[in-house]
Every structure is written in structure tokens, then in C-alpha cells.
Amino acid sequence: MKTLIKNGRIVTAVDDYRADILIEDETISVIGKTLNIEADVVIDAANKLVIPGGIDPHTHMELPFGGTYSSDDFFTGTRAAAFGGTTTIIDFAVQTKGEAMTAGVDAWHKKAAGKCAIDYGFHLITTEFEDGDEREMYRLMDEGITSFKLFMAYPGVFLADDATIFRAMSAAGNRGGLICMHAENGIVINEIIKRALAQGRTAPKYHALTRPTIAEAEGVHRAIAIAEMAESPVYIVHLSCTDALNQVREARDRGIATFAETCPQYLFHSIEDYGEGFEGAKYVMTPPLREKHNQAELWKGLKMDDLQVISTDHCPFCMKEQKELGKDDFSKIPNGAPGVENRMSLIYNGGVVENRISLNRFVELTSTAAAKMFGLFPKKGTIAVGSDADIVIFDAEKEHTFGVAHEHMNVDYSSYEGWTVKGKVETVLSRGRVVIENGEHKGKAGDGQFLKRGTCVNI
Ligand code: URP
Ligand code: ZN
Ligand code: ZN
């Protein structure tokens, strides 16, 4: 099967030129100025950008959390991702406390098998790690699960103490594995929450007011310090504020292998979005939305490479019956929000159109950097001969309005309802196959393959 993409403007993290692309079966085989080659499918990309498919390295499909499950399964969530120009996700499998790490991964394989519309990999949320567990960790690494998320938040659910974090980091560091850290002081936060509830403060806005930025900054500082002692790199997930970013900056300036991602919600939303009523539950996620002044600093961090990746932390819960679990108590609102479908257009508009980052940096932040960080490059994350043909034809001039009525995530609201952005995903190819065209999904459940990932190339 041959597919030819003609007349497009190819943009990668480093290139920007006009050329044609020949795809044979699943991979890119030729890139040339003008290719006059017979093909089964010819796509005219004149006046369009041709960019690598997005990689979202932080999603939670069907996550058991907060007394319910995140509302996207691996089919609805990955199909929505494809609509939004993302062709790879890395989801978080969960080691339930008392269970082997491998059991968590097996459970996630069962959830995802035969359901994904795009390619997928797993990290493992690691809740327990004792001496000797490195054998199991390395077995998982051999199976392509090379990154592990530990939590300093959610006591009694996911929280790992400092000794556990140190053991896991030491083991990962010895073998090129990467620890992803949810860095917030969950123990102190729980005390602040108890006080707020005792004072009758139950509305969603108190989710934010009980999780101060210093609790995140302390977590980031401690994560980096433990990583330094363990001689391991660390990747901070969903970094939300200047105070936390400054800890990353300080470590990177000292040459410590510290990496971090942020998410669109922290770049575009602020604490004001909680309002006074229950509608604010839409934005109950962790870390919470911050004061607006943090946004400019995060953009600066993205521009200067103190932040390397933009993921979504896609973890949707419907307002009806799910977020409503916390109608009378913000601490019972399931934490998380949808976003896997919105990321590429949002960041193109907010970043490139609004002159905060270059077009190459947009590709790097939404695709290439995650591929390098999580052992997928150059199979994923670029447009090059030999790479998988995961390609987005992007109309940079076309406007696009977000709204729950025409989005595909399995959730009853959009975090960006009514927002109009410039830049629309037009056609999406996943390993050479057109999966999104003319606003329709052309693929099927099970098209996506599990990705056995290698190790981070930045370490
Ligand atoms: O609120 C969030 N972020 N929910 C998903 C779980 C996590 O901490 O990433
Ligand atoms: Zn987290
Ligand atoms: Zn998450």
C-alpha cells in the first residue's frame, strides 16, 4: 500500500520545508521535493502544515479514582485523541496496593487490547517498592514499560513515602528508567482540607484554596533532592505554577537531570474559573488551577526549555453522577478533567498564533520531546525516512470552535466550551492509514498497537 502526501509544508522540531512524502505500508519511505510516484492514495496538502502526530504522554483511560472510573475507555479516549491530532498516548497503569507491579500492567493490557484507535504505551503508577523489587521493575522495562509514576499526594490511595520513592528512583536510575513524580505535599494538604471542611467550606473553589503552590513547590524540591541522592533522573508531571517551576529551573541550572511537563489547563485557565458555585467542579483537578500570573511564567518555561513537554493529564469525569459525588464536599469530587482532543489546536493557537513559541517548538512540545523522553524516538515524534507514518495535515488558517456538542470525548462538558481557536486538524494518519478525514473517524477499535518503549534519550 502506497500513500503520497503532496505539496505540504513539512514542519518538525527542527525542519520547515516544502516536499512530498511517500508512505509505504506503515512507514515513511521517501521524502522529496517533487515525487512523481504512483500511489494507492494521494493526499493534497497544499497550503497545509504537515506535522508529526501528537504524542500525549499523560492520560488516564478508565482509571478507578475517587469512587468512580474516568469516563473515557481506551476506544473513546484514543478516538478522541485522533480527532485532535494525537496519534500516540502513554497511559498510566496502576499497581494497586498489595498487588505486584506486573498485575497492574496485565490489568491495563486487558483494558486496552483490541480497543485503541491509535498506538499506545503504558507507564506504571507504582504504589509500593521494596528492596528486591528492582527485578520486577527491570522485567517490566524489558517489556517496554520504562517509566514509573510515584505520588507524594493522595494519602492512603497512591501516596508513596520518601523511602519508597528513594528505593524506586535508585532502581530506575541504575537501568535508565524514568520516575515521573506527582509532586505535592499530600500529607499537609490533607490537614488543610480537614480544617476547611470543619469551617463549612465545601464548594469546588476550596479544592484550589487547600492546595497552595508552596505544597507543590515543596514536593518538586523534595522529588529533585531524593532523585539527586538516588542518582536518578526525575520527570515532574503536570507542573502548574511558578513556585514549582523555579525549583526545576534551579536544579537544571545546576546540571541535575530534572525534566517537567505542564498541561493546557494551567496555561489557559486560572483559579477564577472555579467561581462560587458547583460548576467549578469541572476544573477540580490536581494540582488545581492557579492565579493567572503563573501562566506567563509557564510559557516562559516552555520557551526556555525548563519545561520540555505539554501533556494533557486527560482524566475526564462527567458532571452528572461523577463530579456530583462531591456536591456537598469538594474533597469528594473526582479529580481530573478532559482535554486529549483539545491539546494540539489549543497549543498551536495559544503558542504559535499568539507568538509565545515558534512553530518548531510547538511540534517539539506536543510530539518530539515526549518521543525522546519516553523512548519512542525516532519511530515516533518526527517526519523522517524510516519513521512511522503518524502524520497530521493541519490547516493553520482555519478556525475551530470547541464545544461538547461536537467533541468526541465521553464526557458531558468541554473545558473550553465556545472557545474559538485558529488551527484545525484536518487529516490524521496513524502508521500510514488515514484515521481521521472530513471530520470522520475512518478507523476502528484495535487499530492501535501497544508500543514497547525504550529508555529516555535525554539522560
Ligand atoms: O486531577 C488529576 N490530575 N487526576 C488524575 C490523577 C493524577 O494525579 O494525575
Ligand atoms: Zn498526578
Ligand atoms: Zn495524571
Side-chain angles (χ1 to χ4, degrees), residues 307-323:
L307 297 168
Q308 293 77 40
V309 171
I310 302 177
S311 70
T312 59
D313 194 8
H314 176 77
C315 189
F317 296 100
C318 290
M319 285 294 278
K320 199 169 157 43
E321 289 175 9
Q322 295 196 297
K323 293 284 186 180

Side-chain angles (χ1 to χ4, degrees), residues 58 60 149-151 153-154 181-184 237-238 286-287 313:
H58 190 152
H60 301 280
K149 181 177 178 186
L150 281 94
F151 285 77
Y154 309 131
M181 185 60 72
H182 180 132
E184 271 188 314
V237 293
H238 48 45
T286 300
D313 194 8

Side-chain angles (χ1 to χ4, degrees), residues 212-246:
T213 59
I214 192 167
E216 186 178 349
E218 188 277 332
V220 171
H221 180 87
R222 184 157 39 101
I224 295 168
I226 299 172
E228 218 177 320
M229 290 184 275
E231 299 180 21
S232 153
V234 63
Y235 177 90
I236 308 294
V237 293
H238 48 45
L239 187 142
S240 72
C241 61
T242 310
D243 289 347
L245 175 59
N246 284 340

Side-chain angles (χ1 to χ4, degrees), residues 6 32 46 96 112 116-117 158 163-164 177 180 205 218 234 236 244 273 316 328 365 367 374 387 396 402 415 446:
K6 293 215 44 99
T96 307
C116 292
F158 291 144
T164 304
C180 305
K205 71 172 181 183
E218 188 277 332
V234 63
I236 308 294
D273 289 296
D328 304 312
L365 289 167
S367 180
F374 295 107
S387 292
F402 296 123
S415 298

Side-chain angles (χ1 to χ4, degrees), residues 341-342 400-409 413-416:
E341 189 170 351
N342 310 119
H400 172 63
T401 301
F402 296 123
V404 68
H406 41 269
E407 286 174 1
H408 304 84
M409 297 170 282
Y413 72 96
S414 171
S415 298
Y416 304 95

Side-chain angles (χ1 to χ4, degrees), residues 63 133 209 238 259 341 347:
L63 175 73
D133 284 349
L209 295 173
H238 48 45
F259 308 98
E341 189 170 351
I347 300 301

